[in-house]
Amino acid sequence: MTSKSKSESERASASGDVFPTVMPQPASIERAVGGVTAKALSPVALRCSVTGKGGSAPPASAATAVDFVQNAAKDMLANLEKGVTKDTLTYLRVRLPPLRNSSIPTIVPATVAVGDTVIEISDFDAGTDAASLFGIDESHALTISAKGQVSITAKTWVGALRALQTLSELFIWSGEERVWLVPNLPISVSDVPRFEWRGLMIDTARHYLPVKSILRTIEGLAALKMNVLHWHIVDSQSFPFMSSVHSKLSGAGALHPELVYSATDIKSVIQYGLQRGVRIVPEFDVPGHSASWGFGYPELVSPCFAAIAQSSQGVLERGINIQAMDVTQKTLLPFLKDLLDEVKSLFPDNFIHLGGDEVAASCWRSVPHIAKVMQEKNIDTAGLQALFTESLLNTALPSQRRAILWEESFKDKNLSEFSTSAIVNIWTAEGIQNILPHALK
């Protein structure tokens, strides 16, 4: 979504801020500041119909896409009703103030009613499974005529979802008239995302999040027209992912036997995201941030307890992140392959994040047999991590999946040394300065 269009900027400067605000700002938006206002006694009563190109009936194969769009429309309108309590804000016990005042001179009295919404989707061949979300066309156009008629056109069902969200942002509640208003008609919005990947990362290892909270987060992402939930599901502190192939990972590594995510939980999160056009990308951080893996499988992690004690200064959080996997163990990569194959079976997205950040050199240097391997190969800890990463991508990464790695995996190494399909995830200022230019070559 791009900056405000020139025409609207000019009109806004002459008439004050345009109200209401659409977020993020669409690529193009035209509205008649001070124009016609439409009203609706209840958004829930509005109807939404879905058609094919030119108003044709959707094919039978499009039933799932049509359901997704119609359900999204119902949810959007219902959320408007829930968004305000018409008489009071219950937690404050005060009456809602009118939303019109002298500082917003862009609303005129309503003279028409908001009509039903017609959504035209031109491409019903776009998939309705989670694996199809990556790269799906999200472009859309929305018009509301001076008579209150609402029309949405989109290439795919996901584009229609984004347009519905924009539509919801054009409604305001009038505390004076006790009706919902859509001011500044006619309105014309055209939008396409500037960025294909618009995500938020959650961390459920350091602070377990109930599934209900994750679903609520997905709702928030959809409301902001974001499309990726980066699920940092495990870390040093805990391992809440319930693996069926390596059951002791969560059996010993979860914060509590009930603070885990089962296969059913994960599928429900993925389906909830799918219905809102939000992809779920899991992260299993290796070889650092891996202390919790060792709670159930101690042979996987480096026994660098002296380094942990020295770094912790009596604070567990400082010390627990020091422990890294013992990448010299021959059983490690087969173990990871089995786990990642299971992850692939549960998470349909094209990407798996494999971490690679903040591997503590002091851990590996303090373990004699690991130090010996580095000496024999004439490499430092960065070189050891590079060898591990190369082997991980070549032998353990599931087929039909692309790896994402934090920037540390590439420090001091030419990107060509790794799989050309690996994605660099930059998160520091240093990465922006030193790695991003190289990655863009």
Side-chain angles (χ1 to χ4, degrees):
M1 286 70 180
T2 59
S3 60
K4 187 180 292 186
S5 66
K6 180 179 179 182
S7 58
E8 181 175 1
S9 297
E10 292 172 347
R11 294 182 185 183
S13 64
S15 307
D17 290 337
V18 177
F19 185 73
T21 300
V22 177
M23 294 181 60
Q25 184 69 40
S28 172
I29 180 168
E30 300 278 349
R31 43 188 165 184
V33 178
V36 175
T37 297
K39 65 181 177 180
L41 294 177
S42 172
V44 177
L46 301 177
R47 292 178 297 177
C48 172
S49 59
V50 180
T51 74
K53 191 172 183 178
S56 61
S61 59
T64 300
V66 172
D67 285 345
F68 284 171
V69 173
Q70 289 181 332
N71 288 336
K74 292 176 183 177
D75 288 346
M76 177 268 289
L77 297 171
N79 285 337
L80 281 175
E81 292 281 16
K82 291 189 296 184
V84 297
T85 53
K86 296 179 182 178
D87 293 316
T88 62
L89 292 173
T90 55
Y91 62 94
L92 291 178
R93 304 288 182 183
V94 297
R95 292 186 66 83
L96 277 174
L99 290 182
R100 285 192 285 154
N101 56 59
S102 59
S103 65
I104 307 175
T106 58
I107 302 179
V108 300
T111 56
V112 299
V114 178
D116 295 335
T117 300
V118 177
I119 301 175
E120 179 181 311
I121 298 175
S122 60
D123 181 10
F124 281 110
D125 292 331
T128 52
D129 60 299
S132 301
L133 283 180
F134 176 66
I136 198 167
D137 192 306
E138 299 178 75
S139 61
H140 56 271
L142 162 69
T143 61
I144 308 178
S145 72
K147 295 182 179 181
Q149 297 170 328
V150 183
S151 174
I152 289 173
T153 57
K155 187 172 183 179
T156 70
W157 63 273
V158 177
L161 298 190
R162 307 299 182 233
L164 284 168
Q165 180 57 41
T166 295
L167 174 61
S168 75
E169 296 172 34
L170 297 174
F171 281 89
I172 61 171
W173 169 250
S174 171
E176 289 181 331
E177 301 181 39
R178 300 179 60 79
V179 294
W180 291 91
L181 303 176
V182 181
N184 304 322
L185 301 183
I187 295 175
S188 176
V189 180
S190 179
D191 204 7
V192 60
R194 287 180 62 200
F195 302 102
E196 192 171 17
W197 188 297
R198 308 180 306 281
L200 172 77
M201 186 179 80
I202 59 172
D203 184 335
T204 57
R206 295 177 176 90
H207 184 85
Y208 179 85
L209 294 174
V211 171
K212 184 178 180 180
S213 295
I214 298 175
L215 301 185
R216 187 167 62 245
T217 300
I218 291 173
E219 289 182 2
L221 289 173
L224 292 171
K225 306 183 185 79
M226 298 174 74
N227 66 348
V228 178
L229 179 69
H230 174 172
W231 191 352
H232 187 88
I233 192 167
V234 302
D235 206 287
S236 298
Q237 289 73 13
S238 72
F239 201 105
F241 173 79
M242 287 187 69
S243 170
S244 60
V245 295
H246 298 304
S247 60
K248 288 189 289 184
L249 284 170
S250 62
L255 294 172
H256 185 277
E258 294 183 1
L259 301 183
V260 292
Y261 301 106
S262 66
T264 300
D265 293 332
I266 291 169
K267 290 176 182 178
S268 69
V269 169
I270 291 169
Q271 182 64 22
Y272 203 80
L274 169 63
Q275 294 170 349
R276 289 154 182 80
V278 176
R279 298 163 46 214
I280 313 299
V281 177
E283 179 182 353
F284 289 77
D285 199 347
V286 295
H289 291 271
S290 55
S292 65
W293 301 60
F295 298 156
Y297 299 92
E299 68 277 8
L300 297 181
V301 297
S302 306
C304 54
F305 304 113
I308 293 172
Q310 184 177 3
S311 301
S312 67
Q313 299 176 354
V315 180
L316 177 62
E317 176 63 21
R318 295 174 184 167
I320 199 168
N321 283 325
I322 298 298
Q323 194 163 34
M325 289 180 170
D326 185 349
V327 297
T328 67
Q329 292 293 334
K330 294 181 179 181
T331 58
L332 178 59
L333 286 172
F335 185 101
L336 291 174
K337 185 181 188 315
D338 290 342
L339 178 67
L340 293 177
D341 284 343
E342 180 181 15
V343 170
K344 175 186 176 181
S345 71
L346 292 173
F347 290 89
D349 197 81
N350 308 68
F351 296 85
I352 297 178
H353 203 305
L354 297 176
D357 63 316
E358 298 181 321
V359 179
S362 60
C363 178
W364 283 344
R365 285 199 298 258
S366 68
V367 180
H369 72 266
I370 297 177
K372 181 180 179 182
V373 169
M374 290 191 288
Q375 183 179 15
E376 291 173 348
K377 294 182 178 293
N378 193 30
I379 55 176
D380 57 10
T381 53
L384 183 61
Q385 181 176 352
L387 288 177
F388 166 77
T389 301
E390 192 74 54
S391 298
L392 177 71
L393 297 180
N394 289 336
T395 65
L397 179 67
S399 61
Q400 299 178 326
R401 292 295 182 271
R402 294 185 68 181
I404 306 172
L405 298 166
W406 292 114
E407 64 186 63
E408 288 92 329
S409 295
F410 300 94
K411 283 183 178 177
D412 303 320
K413 295 292 172 184
N414 189 301
L415 295 183
S416 64
E417 295 183 24
F418 298 108
S419 169
T420 55
S421 66
I423 305 298
V424 186
N425 197 165
I426 293 175
W427 67 284
T428 70
E430 181 184 359
I432 294 174
Q433 295 172 356
N434 300 332
I435 298 178
L436 183 58
H438 186 67
L440 293 176
K441 288 182 179 179

